[in-house]
Amino acid sequence: MCDPTPVRNWMIACAVAVFAAAAIVIGAAIANGSWWYTYLSPIGMLVAAAATGGAMVFCSQALSALDTYCTCIGKRCDGACNNLRAALRAAMTVLGIQATACLTVAAYAWIPGAANPAQWVIIGSLIVEAALIISAIAFYNALVACGSASTPPPKPPAPPGMPPIGAAPR
């Protein structure tokens, strides 16, 4: 029996890591808006970059689990497998861009208020990214439905000299 659960679990881990990164950037933005705690903002942005990188790793693990599951269920669900695979690869690409943005903003986040516009854009982008990962659950559900659909059993062969089962008599 093929088990799709690891794919779902890695996708959930990826979404949680993205939400965590967004929360960390919110804290870094609040720190950057302060005169007294601005020194914490670059640290927060570096931690957010690490959390975003972690989300990329989780998406990579989901892809690996997806490949295993798709191999197990065979060719009948190639379309559903390809849809989810494309969504996860796109998510990884965007997460890589977000991690780079976090690292870039960390370079100047020590200046009070200078990083706030970029930080709020990163926060919005990360929340949209989490929504996109969660929406990939629709592809996951289609894949599971396809993978669990029973295929009709093959007809038993007819004994020698007998017509096949279901054939019209002669």
Side-chain angles (χ1 to χ4, degrees), residues 14 16 31 40 42 59 89 104 115-116 122-123 129 143 158 164:
C14 182
V16 167
L40 295 173
C59 276
R89 285 187 179 151
T104 303
N116 270 160
I122 291 170
I123 292 164
E129 177 70 14
L143 177 63

Side-chain angles (χ1 to χ4, degrees), residues 108-125:
Y108 65 91
W110 56 273
I111 303 168
N116 270 160
Q119 287 170 325
W120 291 109
V121 169
I122 291 170
I123 292 164
S125 299

